Amino acid sequence: MLPDNETVLQRCIENPEQYDDSKAEGRLVITPKRGQSNKLMLANAEILDLITTFKVARDEGDNSLCARIIDKMIPLLQTRGMNYSEFATFWQVNDISYSLYEDFDTETKRTFLTAIILPYIAYRHQIYKEHGYTATTLQVRADSHSHKASGSRGIRKIESILKGFNIPLLTDESEWMSCPSFYILADRRGKNLFDRIVTEMKISFTWCKQHAGKRPDFLIKHGPKILIVEHKHEKEGGGGQDKQIVEISEFISQMESLPDVHYVAFLDGIFFNMLLVNPSGGKSQEQNRQIWQALKENKNNYFVNTYGFNLLIQHLVK
């Protein structure tokens, strides 16, 4: 039997999110010692040399050499981590992201690089040479993008918790009705099965219709109980974070006629503490109020942090 949802949230508040130093090292994209190089560092250094050569060729009117230089740059720019380079970062000044560039065909890449290299030379290349290019720029940029991996880390975290309680990932979709305990990644490779389960069990899941067909992150089944879980990792409020808090508040505001179906919003990250433990400011206090109100009106639903999610699964498998 699952515990009362307001009691669970209160236990979460009494056991707030802890700073997780397991991610402190991050992903290293450069070598740890000066004088050593890796594939990314070598490719970036070669691109910078080619940019200098391009400038000389352009000044001398050697268009044929300029074209050959662009052709040499294209495979180098495919090196993993090149989106962290000075040159690729400059593209964003002109509203072109590295991911958009990757979708270009080869001819479009040639055209784009030929156009962007000149302003890069004019406005950045010589300045960077004056100050000194350094591989640490690649690492700084990699670190600044590390937050984008938080969603995947959250998925792995939940999977680790479920594994600890012996709830397996369902690998054979045809067995979902007979399998006593399983989970699926409802917004990834388990999308189709999630839709089937919702349809065949006549689960309302109105949130999907309100959010352009978006699925939750997990569906967990143990015995007759089903937990539909939406996970968010937040470290601060404002902007897109506020929108995501609204999303998960709406998630637990869903009314469901089936008593064994529970909607669970899992807020992973220290923003949980700012929102629920020590709310400050009018916006946080209002979001806090909305969450408590949603739980009062929908007794089957839950709003949890890491401690609360573990507590919920512990009661689920009893």
Side-chain angles (χ1 to χ4, degrees):
M1 183 176 178
L2 295 181
D4 174 76
N5 63 1
E6 293 183 62
T7 300
V8 170
L9 183 53
Q10 186 58 46
R11 292 288 300 279
C12 292
I13 292 169
E14 293 165 1
N15 295 271
E17 286 290 284
Q18 301 298 309
Y19 170 69
D20 183 3
D21 63 0
S22 65
K23 304 187 290 287
E25 181 180 351
R27 182 170 75 92
L28 198 65
V29 300
I30 61 175
T31 55
K33 293 185 178 180
R34 185 175 181 177
Q36 299 175 342
S37 295
N38 59 23
K39 185 176 181 180
L40 173 61
M41 294 165 67
L42 291 171
N44 192 46
E46 188 171 352
I47 285 173
L48 297 177
D49 288 342
L50 288 171
I51 291 171
T52 299
T53 306
F54 186 96
K55 182 182 184 304
V56 174
R58 183 75 176 186
D59 290 345
E60 295 179 353
D62 192 341
N63 293 333
S64 176
L65 178 56
C66 287
R68 292 199 300 274
I69 289 169
I70 294 297
D71 283 343
K72 285 184 178 180
M73 292 177 71
I74 289 174
L76 291 170
L77 285 164
Q78 293 173 345
T79 306
R80 186 185 181 208
M82 193 56 71
N83 54 309
Y84 305 136
S85 70
E86 298 90 344
F87 183 44
T89 300
F90 178 73
W91 303 348
Q92 297 178 44
V93 175
N94 293 266
D95 293 328
I96 299 294
S97 66
Y98 183 83
S99 58
L100 180 60
Y101 167 84
E102 286 186 302
D103 290 335
F104 292 164
D105 58 35
T106 301
E107 190 55 41
T108 304
K109 286 179 178 177
R110 286 194 187 100
T111 302
F112 167 69
L113 292 173
T114 302
I116 199 67
I117 196 171
L118 292 176
Y120 181 77
I121 290 170
Y123 303 122
R124 295 291 186 273
H125 188 53
Q126 192 58 40
I127 294 173
Y128 289 163
K129 286 176 68 178
E130 288 288 333
H131 287 278
Y133 275 105
T134 170
T136 56
T137 301
L138 296 168
Q139 188 60 52
V140 170
R141 287 277 296 145
D143 291 345
S144 72
H145 278 67
S146 62
H147 68 283
K148 295 186 177 181
S150 61
S152 295
R153 283 198 298 265
I155 296 299
R156 292 195 298 271
K157 179 177 185 175
I158 293 176
E159 288 192 291
S160 176
I161 292 170
L162 296 177
K163 182 179 180 181
F165 285 101
N166 296 314
I167 299 178
L169 173 68
L170 184 68
T171 54
D172 187 344
E173 294 188 2
S174 65
E175 294 182 354
W176 80 266
M177 293 191 75
S178 58
C179 187
S181 181
F182 69 83
Y183 76 88
I184 61 172
L185 297 166
D187 196 33
R188 299 193 178 193
R189 57 182 178 269
K191 279 184 178 180
N192 293 336
L193 178 56
F194 175 78
D195 291 346
R196 275 183 54 203
I197 293 173
V198 167
T199 300
E200 292 177 22
M201 292 197 64
K202 295 182 172 55
I203 299 172
S204 300
F205 194 50
T206 55
W207 189 80
C208 174
K209 303 179 185 69
Q210 298 165 354
H211 294 85
K214 188 178 185 302
R215 280 84 165 181
D217 293 304
F218 284 84
L219 182 145
I220 303 164
K221 182 179 183 297
H222 187 81
K225 295 286 187 184
I226 289 180
L227 307 186
I228 298 176
V229 182
E230 177 68 4
H231 169 269
K232 300 290 185 188
H233 177 88
E234 303 293 349
K235 60 183 184 300
E236 59 186 340
Q241 287 81 5
D242 286 340
K243 180 182 177 183
Q244 294 200 28
I245 296 302
V246 170
E247 273 192 10
I248 57 176
S249 293
E250 293 173 350
F251 191 80
I252 57 169
S253 296
Q254 296 177 92
M255 301 187 73
E256 184 62 55
S257 59
L258 301 174
D260 286 329
V261 175
H262 305 265
Y263 295 104
V264 181
F266 181 1
L267 181 57
D268 172 23
I270 61 172
F271 184 58
F272 176 91
N273 303 345
M274 299 164 62
L275 183 62
L276 274 302
V277 181
N278 295 302
S280 60
K283 186 173 290 186
S284 292
Q285 289 176 349
E286 175 58 22
Q287 290 171 334
N288 182 302
R289 186 195 66 77
Q290 290 173 359
I291 289 165
W292 280 105
Q293 187 64 31
L295 295 179
K296 287 177 181 177
E297 294 176 359
N298 302 278
K299 293 296 185 180
N300 264 12
N301 300 341
Y302 294 87
F303 191 96
V304 298
N305 63 358
T306 303
Y307 176 88
F309 187 74
N310 273 281
L311 180 66
L312 204 56
I313 302 303
Q314 178 183 339
H315 279 80
L316 179 71
V317 301
K318 275 185 178 179

